[in-house]
Amino acid sequence: MAQSDTLARLEATVLSRRSADPGSSYVAKLNARGINKIAQKLGEEATETVIAALAEDRPALVGEAADLLFHLVILLAAREVPLAEVLAELDRREGVSGIAEKASRQS
């Protein structure tokens, strides 16, 4: 199964659960708590991902990276930013030096 298929299915699941009963859906519960809580959760998952990477714990890194992507998709959905838009930006940057790309954004 293609990686983009996995992300597309994840996004579809998140979108379908945003308005579900917060008592039965983690996505709905997080959305009900607002964008600040969603952003806080994403930050926590990013920190946990870094800790797992530094600990050289591959299974923990894989799990935390999955949590990070999951919470990123929740945040993007809350701000109505389609994952396709983010992927298009990655496609646009492909083949461009990271240094040159960053410099182009600093103007």
Side-chain angles (χ1 to χ4, degrees), residues 82-99:
L83 193 52
E85 196 172 326
V86 176
L87 296 175
E89 177 63 12
L90 288 173
D91 288 343
R92 184 191 68 78
R93 294 180 184 186
E94 188 174 353
V96 177
S97 158
I99 294 169

PDB file of all heavy atoms in Angstrom, residues 82-99:
ATOM      1  N   PRO A  82      -5.983  21.106   3.714  1.00  0.00           N
ATOM      2  CA  PRO A  82      -5.934  19.741   3.205  1.00  0.00           C
ATOM      3  C   PRO A  82      -4.496  19.218   3.170  1.00  0.00           C
ATOM      4  O   PRO A  82      -3.559  19.957   2.848  1.00  0.00           O
ATOM      5  CB  PRO A  82      -6.492  19.841   1.787  1.00  0.00           C
ATOM      6  CG  PRO A  82      -7.079  21.198   1.664  1.00  0.00           C
ATOM      7  CD  PRO A  82      -6.459  22.057   2.709  1.00  0.00           C
ATOM      8  N   LEU A  83      -4.343  17.967   3.500  1.00  0.00           N
ATOM      9  CA  LEU A  83      -3.026  17.343   3.456  1.00  0.00           C
ATOM     10  C   LEU A  83      -2.430  17.449   2.048  1.00  0.00           C
ATOM     11  O   LEU A  83      -1.215  17.614   1.893  1.00  0.00           O
ATOM     12  CB  LEU A  83      -3.142  15.885   3.890  1.00  0.00           C
ATOM     13  CG  LEU A  83      -1.874  15.131   4.203  1.00  0.00           C
ATOM     14  CD1 LEU A  83      -0.994  15.875   5.192  1.00  0.00           C
ATOM     15  CD2 LEU A  83      -2.203  13.752   4.731  1.00  0.00           C
ATOM     16  N   ALA A  84      -3.272  17.429   1.036  1.00  0.00           N
ATOM     17  CA  ALA A  84      -2.805  17.564  -0.350  1.00  0.00           C
ATOM     18  C   ALA A  84      -2.055  18.877  -0.556  1.00  0.00           C
ATOM     19  O   ALA A  84      -1.098  18.936  -1.329  1.00  0.00           O
ATOM     20  CB  ALA A  84      -3.982  17.471  -1.321  1.00  0.00           C
ATOM     21  N   GLU A  85      -2.467  19.916   0.146  1.00  0.00           N
ATOM     22  CA  GLU A  85      -1.788  21.208   0.030  1.00  0.00           C
ATOM     23  C   GLU A  85      -0.373  21.132   0.612  1.00  0.00           C
ATOM     24  O   GLU A  85       0.575  21.692   0.059  1.00  0.00           O
ATOM     25  CB  GLU A  85      -2.610  22.276   0.754  1.00  0.00           C
ATOM     26  CG  GLU A  85      -2.244  23.690   0.410  1.00  0.00           C
ATOM     27  CD  GLU A  85      -3.230  24.690   1.002  1.00  0.00           C
ATOM     28  OE1 GLU A  85      -4.438  24.409   1.104  1.00  0.00           O
ATOM     29  OE2 GLU A  85      -2.753  25.789   1.362  1.00  0.00           O
ATOM     30  N   VAL A  86      -0.230  20.436   1.719  1.00  0.00           N
ATOM     31  CA  VAL A  86       1.089  20.259   2.335  1.00  0.00           C
ATOM     32  C   VAL A  86       1.965  19.379   1.437  1.00  0.00           C
ATOM     33  O   VAL A  86       3.139  19.682   1.213  1.00  0.00           O
ATOM     34  CB  VAL A  86       0.953  19.651   3.743  1.00  0.00           C
ATOM     35  CG1 VAL A  86       2.317  19.358   4.354  1.00  0.00           C
ATOM     36  CG2 VAL A  86       0.145  20.569   4.655  1.00  0.00           C
ATOM     37  N   LEU A  87       1.384  18.313   0.917  1.00  0.00           N
ATOM     38  CA  LEU A  87       2.146  17.429   0.023  1.00  0.00           C
ATOM     39  C   LEU A  87       2.558  18.159  -1.253  1.00  0.00           C
ATOM     40  O   LEU A  87       3.673  17.955  -1.756  1.00  0.00           O
ATOM     41  CB  LEU A  87       1.330  16.170  -0.292  1.00  0.00           C
ATOM     42  CG  LEU A  87       1.026  15.276   0.912  1.00  0.00           C
ATOM     43  CD1 LEU A  87       0.116  14.122   0.508  1.00  0.00           C
ATOM     44  CD2 LEU A  87       2.289  14.775   1.578  1.00  0.00           C
ATOM     45  N   ALA A  88       1.705  19.034  -1.760  1.00  0.00           N
ATOM     46  CA  ALA A  88       2.049  19.830  -2.948  1.00  0.00           C
ATOM     47  C   ALA A  88       3.223  20.756  -2.649  1.00  0.00           C
ATOM     48  O   ALA A  88       4.101  20.963  -3.499  1.00  0.00           O
ATOM     49  CB  ALA A  88       0.842  20.626  -3.431  1.00  0.00           C
ATOM     50  N   GLU A  89       3.250  21.301  -1.437  1.00  0.00           N
ATOM     51  CA  GLU A  89       4.380  22.154  -1.048  1.00  0.00           C
ATOM     52  C   GLU A  89       5.671  21.343  -0.971  1.00  0.00           C
ATOM     53  O   GLU A  89       6.731  21.809  -1.394  1.00  0.00           O
ATOM     54  CB  GLU A  89       4.092  22.841   0.294  1.00  0.00           C
ATOM     55  CG  GLU A  89       5.228  23.691   0.823  1.00  0.00           C
ATOM     56  CD  GLU A  89       5.623  24.881  -0.051  1.00  0.00           C
ATOM     57  OE1 GLU A  89       4.881  25.231  -0.999  1.00  0.00           O
ATOM     58  OE2 GLU A  89       6.698  25.465   0.212  1.00  0.00           O
ATOM     59  N   LEU A  90       5.591  20.125  -0.456  1.00  0.00           N
ATOM     60  CA  LEU A  90       6.773  19.252  -0.447  1.00  0.00           C
ATOM     61  C   LEU A  90       7.218  18.942  -1.877  1.00  0.00           C
ATOM     62  O   LEU A  90       8.420  18.955  -2.168  1.00  0.00           O
ATOM     63  CB  LEU A  90       6.484  17.960   0.320  1.00  0.00           C
ATOM     64  CG  LEU A  90       6.381  18.091   1.825  1.00  0.00           C
ATOM     65  CD1 LEU A  90       5.913  16.773   2.441  1.00  0.00           C
ATOM     66  CD2 LEU A  90       7.706  18.531   2.437  1.00  0.00           C
ATOM     67  N   ASP A  91       6.252  18.675  -2.761  1.00  0.00           N
ATOM     68  CA  ASP A  91       6.583  18.422  -4.168  1.00  0.00           C
ATOM     69  C   ASP A  91       7.263  19.645  -4.786  1.00  0.00           C
ATOM     70  O   ASP A  91       8.231  19.513  -5.537  1.00  0.00           O
ATOM     71  CB  ASP A  91       5.327  18.079  -4.973  1.00  0.00           C
ATOM     72  CG  ASP A  91       4.785  16.697  -4.662  1.00  0.00           C
ATOM     73  OD1 ASP A  91       5.516  15.865  -4.080  1.00  0.00           O
ATOM     74  OD2 ASP A  91       3.598  16.454  -4.985  1.00  0.00           O
ATOM     75  N   ARG A  92       6.763  20.832  -4.462  1.00  0.00           N
ATOM     76  CA  ARG A  92       7.337  22.059  -5.002  1.00  0.00           C
ATOM     77  C   ARG A  92       8.788  22.214  -4.563  1.00  0.00           C
ATOM     78  O   ARG A  92       9.642  22.670  -5.325  1.00  0.00           O
ATOM     79  CB  ARG A  92       6.527  23.275  -4.537  1.00  0.00           C
ATOM     80  CG  ARG A  92       6.994  24.604  -5.141  1.00  0.00           C
ATOM     81  CD  ARG A  92       6.365  25.808  -4.463  1.00  0.00           C
ATOM     82  NE  ARG A  92       6.819  26.007  -3.093  1.00  0.00           N
ATOM     83  CZ  ARG A  92       8.003  26.543  -2.746  1.00  0.00           C
ATOM     84  NH1 ARG A  92       8.868  26.898  -3.669  1.00  0.00           N
ATOM     85  NH2 ARG A  92       8.317  26.706  -1.475  1.00  0.00           N
ATOM     86  N   ARG A  93       9.079  21.816  -3.340  1.00  0.00           N
ATOM     87  CA  ARG A  93      10.429  21.967  -2.799  1.00  0.00           C
ATOM     88  C   ARG A  93      11.393  20.871  -3.240  1.00  0.00           C
ATOM     89  O   ARG A  93      12.602  21.010  -3.063  1.00  0.00           O
ATOM     90  CB  ARG A  93      10.376  21.947  -1.267  1.00  0.00           C
ATOM     91  CG  ARG A  93       9.653  23.127  -0.679  1.00  0.00           C
ATOM     92  CD  ARG A  93       9.649  23.019   0.819  1.00  0.00           C
ATOM     93  NE  ARG A  93       8.885  24.087   1.435  1.00  0.00           N
ATOM     94  CZ  ARG A  93       8.824  24.277   2.739  1.00  0.00           C
ATOM     95  NH1 ARG A  93       9.487  23.477   3.570  1.00  0.00           N
ATOM     96  NH2 ARG A  93       8.105  25.270   3.225  1.00  0.00           N
ATOM     97  N   GLU A  94      10.880  19.797  -3.803  1.00  0.00           N
ATOM     98  CA  GLU A  94      11.725  18.675  -4.188  1.00  0.00           C
ATOM     99  C   GLU A  94      12.800  19.119  -5.180  1.00  0.00           C
ATOM    100  O   GLU A  94      12.522  19.829  -6.143  1.00  0.00           O
ATOM    101  CB  GLU A  94      10.878  17.565  -4.811  1.00  0.00           C
ATOM    102  CG  GLU A  94      11.651  16.296  -5.060  1.00  0.00           C
ATOM    103  CD  GLU A  94      10.763  15.160  -5.539  1.00  0.00           C
ATOM    104  OE1 GLU A  94       9.524  15.310  -5.555  1.00  0.00           O
ATOM    105  OE2 GLU A  94      11.321  14.131  -5.908  1.00  0.00           O
ATOM    106  N   GLY A  95      14.013  18.726  -4.906  1.00  0.00           N
ATOM    107  CA  GLY A  95      15.121  19.064  -5.780  1.00  0.00           C
ATOM    108  C   GLY A  95      15.713  20.432  -5.536  1.00  0.00           C
ATOM    109  O   GLY A  95      16.657  20.835  -6.197  1.00  0.00           O
ATOM    110  N   VAL A  96      15.167  21.168  -4.576  1.00  0.00           N
ATOM    111  CA  VAL A  96      15.680  22.491  -4.240  1.00  0.00           C
ATOM    112  C   VAL A  96      16.511  22.350  -2.972  1.00  0.00           C
ATOM    113  O   VAL A  96      16.074  21.717  -2.016  1.00  0.00           O
ATOM    114  CB  VAL A  96      14.524  23.497  -4.002  1.00  0.00           C
ATOM    115  CG1 VAL A  96      15.052  24.857  -3.578  1.00  0.00           C
ATOM    116  CG2 VAL A  96      13.659  23.621  -5.245  1.00  0.00           C
ATOM    117  N   SER A  97      17.673  22.939  -2.969  1.00  0.00           N
ATOM    118  CA  SER A  97      18.511  22.901  -1.779  1.00  0.00           C
ATOM    119  C   SER A  97      17.737  23.467  -0.597  1.00  0.00           C
ATOM    120  O   SER A  97      17.073  24.506  -0.701  1.00  0.00           O
ATOM    121  CB  SER A  97      19.766  23.742  -2.015  1.00  0.00           C
ATOM    122  OG  SER A  97      20.341  24.146  -0.791  1.00  0.00           O
ATOM    123  N   GLY A  98      17.803  22.781   0.546  1.00  0.00           N
ATOM    124  CA  GLY A  98      17.138  23.265   1.748  1.00  0.00           C
ATOM    125  C   GLY A  98      17.629  24.636   2.152  1.00  0.00           C
ATOM    126  O   GLY A  98      16.862  25.479   2.623  1.00  0.00           O
ATOM    127  N   ILE A  99      18.907  24.892   1.948  1.00  0.00           N
ATOM    128  CA  ILE A  99      19.490  26.197   2.287  1.00  0.00           C
ATOM    129  C   ILE A  99      18.906  27.274   1.368  1.00  0.00           C
ATOM    130  O   ILE A  99      18.491  28.336   1.821  1.00  0.00           O
ATOM    131  CB  ILE A  99      21.028  26.146   2.211  1.00  0.00           C
ATOM    132  CG1 ILE A  99      21.561  25.204   3.304  1.00  0.00           C
ATOM    133  CG2 ILE A  99      21.636  27.538   2.331  1.00  0.00           C
ATOM    134  CD1 ILE A  99      23.024  24.866   3.186  1.00  0.00           C
TER     135      ILE A  99
END
